[in-house]
C-alpha cells in the first residue's frame, strides 16, 4: 500500500463517519423531545455534512479517478463504506443518541486536536475547522448525559442502558491497521494510543458526574475498517442513494 | 356607583389610547392596553402561524434522508432548521400575550388551534421539495411581507426576521425546480407533476375570497391584517406565473391569462370544496401530521421531565451553598 492509497482510505473513513452520523442525526428532524433539541441535533448534522464534503472531496482527489464527494457518497455500496459501526446504529431513544454523540464527539475532539498537527496540510486544515465544531457537539452531549444520568430514575436507567448497549462499539474507534501504521510513520495520522487514554479519562469523568456506572470492557465489535458493517448500513444507503441510483443520468 | 363610573371611564380612555395608536400606525406592545378581541385574534393567528412552521417541518423532513446530493441535503436541512427557528420566534411572540408554549401545544393537540392547511398535502417526490420551497414558501412570503407592518410589535418584529430567511427558502425551491427542468425527461416530468399538485393548494393558502372571509373585518380595523386575501393571492399569482415561464413549467390553469386592463393575471375558479374538505380534517395527511406530533411529544416527555428534575436539583444545591 502506498502512502497515497493509505491517505485516500484514511480520509474516506473519516468522511464516511461524518456522513453516516449526520444521516442518523438528521433523522431527529421533527422527532426531538423539544423544538430546541430538534434544531441542535440537525445543526450538528449540518456540521457533519460539511465535514463529509471536505473529506470526501479530498479523498476523491487523492484517488485520482475524478470522483467527486457526491460520487463517493452516492455511488458506493455497503462493502465499500468504512465508517465506524457505532455511527450507523439506529438512533434508539434520545439517551442512545446522546450516548453515541458523547462517545463519538469526545473521540473526535481529541482525534482532530491531534490531526491538526498532521504533516498533511489539507488534513490539518480540515482538522482545525472540525475541532471548533466538535467542541459544541461534545459540550451538548456532555450536558445531556449528565442531565439524563442525574435527572429522574427513568432517565438514569435509560442513560445507563444506552451507554451499556453502545459500549461494545467503542473499541473500534481506537483500532490501528497497516494503513494507519504507514501514515503514523510519516506523521500524517493521529496517535491512537494517546487518544484512547484521553478519551477514556474524559468519558469516566462524565459518566461519574452523571451518577452512572462505567460499562465493563468485554468483547468489542469490529469490522468496519474492512467494510464489514451491521445490517443497518444497507438500509441507510438504499434510502440515501435512491434518487442517484434510480436516475443515474440525472444531476440534481 | 362612583367607583364603577370611574372604572368605566378608565377603560374608555384606555380603549381610546389603543385606537389612537392604531390610527397613527404605532406598534402595540405587550404591556400596553389592548381589547380582548384584539388579544384573542392575535393569539389565534400567531399560534397558528407558529404551529404551521413546526408542522411544516414534517413533509420536508420526510425528504432529508433521500436528498439527492450533499449540497441539496445541506440546503434542505438548513431550511427546515430555519422553519423550526421561526416556530420558536413565533411561540415567543405569542407568549407575550400571556400563553405558554405548553398550552399552545395542548391546543394544537386538542384541535382548538390550527396550522396551515397546506401541510395536510403529502410531499411525494423530490420535486415536491422544490414546489414547497418555491410555491408554498413563495405564498407564505407574500403574506409575511405584508405582516411586517402588522400592528402588534412582537409579531411584526418576528415577521421582519422571518422574511429575511424566507426569501432564501423560495430561491432554494426555485433552484430545485429550475435544475430539474434543465435535466432529463424524467426530471422534467417530475417537476411538472409537482407543479400540478401544488399550484392550487398554494392559491388556497391565502384563504377564502374576501367576500367569504369571516375574520377580515376586525383584523383590518386593528391593522393586524394589512391586505386582503384576494389582494395577496393576486400578488402571488402575478409574480409566480413569470417565474414558471422562465424555467418552462406550465401553470395548471387553462383560464389563466394576462388582463391588460387590470394589469394582472386572471385565473380560473378555485376548488373551495377541496379547501373546506381538507380544512375539516379530510386531507390526506391531517391525521398523520397530528398523530406524529402527538407521538413525538409524548415520547419526549421523559426527557423534559429529566431536564426539569435536574434543574430543580441544581437550584436546591445552589440555595444550600
Amino acid at each position: 500500500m502506498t502512502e497515497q492509497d493509505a491517505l485516500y482510505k484514511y480520509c474516506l473513513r473519516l468522511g464516511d463517519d461524518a456522513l453516516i452520523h449526520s444521516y442518523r442525526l438528521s433523522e431527529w428532524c421533527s422527532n426531538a423531545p423539544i423544538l430546541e433539541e430538534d434544531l441542535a441535533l440537525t445543526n450538528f448534522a449540518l456540521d457533519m455534512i460539511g465535514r463529509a464534503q471536505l473529506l470526501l472531496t479530498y479523498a476523491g482527489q487523492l484517488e485520482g479517478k475524478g470522483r467527486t464527494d457526491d460520487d463517493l457518497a452516492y455511488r458506493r455500496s455497503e462493502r465499500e463504506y468504512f465508517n465506524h459501526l457505532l455511527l450507523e446504529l439506529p438512533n434508539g431513544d434520545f439517551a442512545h443518541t446522546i450516548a453515541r454523540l458523547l462517545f463519538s464527539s469526545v473521540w473526535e475532539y481529541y482525534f482532530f486536536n491531534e490531526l491538526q498537527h498532521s504533516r498533511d496540510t489539507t488534513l490539518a486544515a480540515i482538522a482545525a475547522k472540525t475541532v471548533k465544531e466538535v467542541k459544541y457537539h461534545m459540550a451538548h452531549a456532555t450536558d445531556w448525559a449528565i442531565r439524563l444520568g442525574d435527572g429522574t430514575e427513568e432517565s438514569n436507567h435509560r442513560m445507563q442502558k444506552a451507554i451499556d448497549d453502545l459500549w461494545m462499539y467503542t473499541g473500534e474507534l481506537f483500532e490501528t491497521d497497516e494503513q494507519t501504521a504507514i501514515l503514523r510513520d510519516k506523521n500524517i495520522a493521529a496517535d491512537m494510543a494517546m487518544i484512547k487514554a484521553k478519551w477514556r479519562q474524559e468519558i469516566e469523568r462524565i459518566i461519574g458526574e452523571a451518577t452512572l456506572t462505567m460499562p465493563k470492557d468485554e468483547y468489542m465489535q469490529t469490522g468496519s475498517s474492512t467494510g464489514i458493517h451491521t445490517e443497518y448500513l444497507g438500509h441507510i444507503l438504499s434510502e440515501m442513494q435512491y434518487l442517484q441510483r434510480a436516475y443515474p443520468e440525472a444531476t440534481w | 356607583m362612583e367607583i364603577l363610573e370611574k372604572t368605566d371611564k378608565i377603560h374608555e380612555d384606555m380603549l381610546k389610547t389603543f385606537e389612537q395608536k392604531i390610527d397613527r400606525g404605532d406598534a402595540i406592545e405587550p404591556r400596553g392596553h389592548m381589547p380582548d378581541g384584539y388579544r384573542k385574534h392575535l393569539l389565534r393567528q400567531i399560534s397558528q402561524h407558529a404551529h404551521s412552521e413546526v408542522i411544516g417541518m414534517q413533509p420536508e423532513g420526510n425528504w432529508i434522508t433521500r436528498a439527492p446530493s450533499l449540497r441539496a441535503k445541506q440546503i434542505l436541512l438548513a431550511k427546515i432548521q430555519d422553519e423550526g427557528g421561526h416556530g420558536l420566534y413565533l411561540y415567543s411572540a405569542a407568549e407575550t400575550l400571556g400563553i405558554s408554549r405548553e398550552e399552545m401545544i395542548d391546543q394544537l393537540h386538542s384541535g382548538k388551534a390550527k396550522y396551515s392547511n397546506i401541510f395536510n398535502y403529502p410531499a411525494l417526490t423530490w420535486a415536491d421539495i422544490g414546489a414547497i420551497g418555491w410555491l408554498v414558501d413563495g405564498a407564505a412570503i407574500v403574506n409575511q411581507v405584508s405582516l411586517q407592518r402588522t400592528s402588534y410589535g412582537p409579531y411584526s418584529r418576528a415577521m421582519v426576521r422571518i422574511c429575511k430567511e424566507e426569501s432564501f427558502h423560495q430561491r432554494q425551491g426555485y433552484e430545485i425546480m429550475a435544475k430539474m427542468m434543465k435535466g432529463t425527461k424524467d426530471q422534467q416530468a417530475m417537476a411538472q407533476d409537482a407543479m400540478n399538485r401544488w399550484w392550487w393548494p398554494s392559491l388556497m393558502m391565502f384563504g377564502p375570497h374576501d367576500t367569504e372571509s369571516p375574520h377580515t373585518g376586525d383584523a383590518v380595523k386593528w391593522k393586524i391584517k394589512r391586505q386582503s386575501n384576494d389582494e395577496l393571492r393576486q400578488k402571488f399569482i402575478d409574480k409566480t406565473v413569470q417565474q414558471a415561464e422562465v424555467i418552462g413549467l406550465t401553470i395548471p390553469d387553462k383560464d389563466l391569462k394576462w388582463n391588460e386592463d387590470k394589469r394582472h393575471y386572471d385565473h380560473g375558479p378555485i376548488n373551495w370544496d377541496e379547501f373546506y374538505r381538507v380544512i375539516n380534517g379530510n386531507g390526506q395527511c391531517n391525521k398523520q401530521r397530528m398523530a406524529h406530533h402527538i407521538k413525538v411529544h409524548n415520547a419526549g416527555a421523559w426527557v423534559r421531565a429529566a431536564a426539569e428534575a435536574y434543574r430543580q436539583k441544581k437550584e436546591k444545591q445552589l440555595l444550600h451553598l
Side-chain angles (χ1 to χ4, degrees):
Chain A
M1 189 182 266
T2 65
E3 180 186 315
Q4 179 113 345
D5 290 341
L7 187 54
Y8 162 67
K9 173 95 182 289
Y10 195 70
C11 292
L12 200 57
R13 189 161 203 213
L14 292 173
D16 289 350
D17 273 350
L19 179 62
I20 298 299
H21 198 184
S22 86
Y23 179 98
R24 285 303 189 205
L25 287 173
S26 74
E27 288 180 312
W28 277 101
C29 177
S30 278
N31 285 301
I34 43 168
L35 190 49
E36 285 82 349
E37 200 51 31
D38 218 296
L39 303 188
L41 293 178
T42 50
N43 202 29
F44 300 164
L46 266 177
D47 287 344
M48 289 176 197
I49 296 175
R51 195 199 313 165
Q53 283 175 315
L54 293 173
L55 286 160
L56 294 179
T57 299
Y58 187 40
Q61 289 164 2
L62 291 163
E63 188 194 31
K65 292 181 185 167
R67 291 206 277 183
T68 64
D69 51 351
D70 278 341
D71 293 334
L72 288 168
Y74 288 91
R75 302 291 173 97
R76 273 181 303 147
S77 299
E78 295 88 333
R79 295 281 281 103
E80 299 163 311
Y81 259 80
F82 299 106
N83 61 279
H84 292 97
L85 302 179
L86 175 69
L87 304 172
E88 72 200 32
L89 300 173
N91 283 332
D93 66 3
F94 186 66
H96 279 75
T97 288
I98 290 300
R100 165 168 48 208
L101 188 63
L102 178 71
F103 291 156
S104 67
S105 63
V106 173
W107 180 83
E108 284 166 350
Y109 177 72
Y110 291 119
F111 178 85
F112 286 108
N113 247 315
E114 276 298 296
L115 207 59
Q116 287 185 94
H117 311 296
S118 171
R119 202 173 51 79
D120 185 278
T121 49
T122 307
L123 209 48
I126 296 173
K129 180 176 183 293
T130 303
V131 167
K132 287 185 199 136
E133 293 168 355
V134 164
K135 256 188 207 166
Y136 290 100
H137 307 179
M138 183 168 75
H140 192 78
T142 303
D143 283 353
W144 270 115
I146 293 169
R147 220 177 272 147
L148 295 179
D150 196 14
T152 62
E153 202 182 327
E154 180 183 3
S155 69
N156 174 280
H157 287 162
R158 283 179 185 260
M159 198 60 217
Q160 184 68 54
K161 178 157 173 27
I163 59 170
D164 291 347
D165 286 351
L166 297 183
W167 192 251
M168 68 174 169
Y169 295 98
T170 58
E172 240 198 2
L173 298 171
F174 308 99
E175 285 176 357
T176 51
D177 56 13
E178 184 203 353
Q179 140 226 330
T180 49
I182 292 171
L183 298 175
R184 261 313 285 156
D185 282 348
K186 310 270 182 178
N187 288 322
I188 292 175
D191 174 4
M192 285 314 205
M194 195 172 81
I195 292 167
K196 185 175 184 178
K198 286 181 175 171
W199 180 86
R200 171 120 197 161
Q201 195 183 8
E202 181 62 3
I203 292 292
E204 267 182 8
R205 183 191 71 74
I206 296 165
I207 285 182
E209 197 177 332
T211 69
L212 298 163
T213 312
M214 275 292 276
K216 285 195 188 75
D217 285 317
E218 287 170 348
Y219 180 73
M220 290 290 178
Q221 295 295 331
T222 180
S224 67
S225 71
T226 56
I228 303 286
H229 287 273
T230 64
E231 289 179 350
Y232 302 112
L233 183 70
H235 292 284
I236 292 180
L237 298 186
S238 50
E239 191 162 325
M240 183 173 84
Q241 298 177 339
Y242 137 72
L243 278 167
Q244 288 255 358
R245 301 278 198 179
Y247 302 96
E249 305 303 321
T251 52
W252 302 90
Chain B
M1 195 61 201
E2 226 170 78
I3 291 176
L4 277 181
E5 272 170 16
K6 256 190 190 160
T7 327
D8 279 351
K9 175 84 175 70
I10 289 170
H11 278 167
E12 237 168 66
D13 289 348
M14 278 159 67
L15 188 63
K16 206 177 262 171
T17 316
F18 170 83
E19 281 168 351
Q20 282 166 350
K21 272 189 188 168
I22 294 279
D23 290 343
R24 281 199 304 268
D26 290 354
I28 303 300
E29 294 298 334
R31 285 179 190 176
H33 171 77
M34 59 186 89
D36 250 10
Y38 180 82
R39 182 187 298 273
K40 272 189 195 144
H41 187 103
L42 275 170
L43 260 180
R44 188 181 53 78
Q45 183 167 335
I46 302 175
S47 83
Q48 169 165 344
H49 198 157
H51 295 322
S52 300
E53 298 281 358
V54 172
I55 297 295
M57 294 165 78
Q58 289 185 33
E60 295 188 299
N62 165 44
W63 275 94
I64 291 175
T65 54
R66 292 176 290 173
S69 73
L70 295 175
R71 182 171 176 272
K73 193 194 278 271
Q74 204 171 30
I75 294 175
L76 180 60
L77 251 180
K79 170 179 192 272
I80 300 174
Q81 213 185 17
D82 282 349
E83 314 284 12
H86 297 173
L88 285 179
Y89 309 155
L90 288 162
Y91 282 131
S92 304
E95 279 172 345
T96 62
L97 294 161
I99 188 170
S100 69
R101 200 199 306 181
E102 195 62 25
E103 283 173 281
M104 285 185 266
I105 291 174
D106 283 347
Q107 289 180 355
L108 174 70
H109 291 173
S110 73
K112 192 182 166 202
K114 305 281 185 217
Y115 57 90
S116 175
N117 207 28
I118 194 79
F119 300 121
N120 293 321
Y121 289 82
L124 300 178
T125 71
W126 175 249
D128 288 36
I129 295 305
I132 291 175
W134 174 40
L135 300 175
V136 174
D137 288 5
I141 293 172
V142 171
N143 192 27
Q144 287 163 349
V145 162
S146 171
L147 282 171
Q148 291 181 98
R149 297 184 298 125
T150 194
S151 57
Y152 189 54
Y155 191 30
S156 143
R157 288 189 286 273
M159 281 303 121
V160 171
R161 288 179 71 177
I162 287 173
C163 281
K164 278 187 195 145
E165 289 170 356
E166 287 290 348
S167 56
F168 146 75
H169 298 173
Q170 200 200 3
R171 279 202 300 278
Q172 166 265 353
Y174 190 61
E175 186 195 289
I176 290 177
M177 295 302 250
K179 259 193 179 165
M180 290 181 78
M181 290 307 287
K182 275 195 206 139
T184 64
K185 283 216 160 63
D186 284 334
Q187 285 176 297
Q188 290 168 3
M190 208 189 269
Q192 183 62 53
D193 168 64
M195 174 85 201
N196 295 348
R197 283 181 290 108
W198 288 93
W199 173 253
W200 291 105
S202 301
L203 296 193
M204 293 176 202
M205 282 174 70
F206 297 96
H209 286 308
D210 296 347
T211 46
E212 309 283 325
S213 179
H215 297 295
T216 303
D218 279 347
V220 170
K221 184 180 83 190
W222 287 325
K223 295 188 180 166
I224 295 175
K225 198 175 166 76
R226 306 305 307 257
Q227 283 168 295
S228 79
N229 293 355
D230 285 330
E231 281 167 0
L232 293 167
R233 185 167 18 242
Q234 190 64 56
K235 228 177 211 184
F236 171 70
I237 293 171
D238 290 347
K239 74 170 185 165
T240 310
V241 169
Q242 289 167 4
Q243 291 171 352
E245 275 169 7
V246 170
I247 56 174
L249 279 167
T250 308
I251 306 266
D253 178 358
K254 61 178 172 33
D255 299 320
L256 187 89
K257 61 171 183 296
W258 178 249
N259 183 325
E260 190 57 42
D261 295 340
K262 290 192 202 155
R263 309 289 300 160
H264 287 303
Y265 282 94
D266 287 334
H267 64 84
I270 293 171
N271 182 351
W272 295 111
D273 290 344
E274 174 182 321
F275 175 76
Y276 287 110
R277 171 174 65 75
V278 178
I279 258 189
N280 289 325
N282 292 313
Q284 198 204 84
C285 302
N286 301 55
K287 291 195 174 75
Q288 178 188 338
R289 301 286 182 243
M290 208 34 56
H292 182 81
H293 198 274
I294 292 172
K295 186 191 81 184
V296 167
H297 189 71
N298 292 342
W302 72 269
V303 178
R304 295 189 298 276
E308 180 56 22
Y310 181 78
R311 191 188 63 78
Q312 285 181 14
K313 240 181 239 184
K314 289 292 130 180
E315 219 165 61
K316 238 183 226 169
Q317 281 171 8
L318 275 177
L319 284 175
H320 290 291
L321 277 179

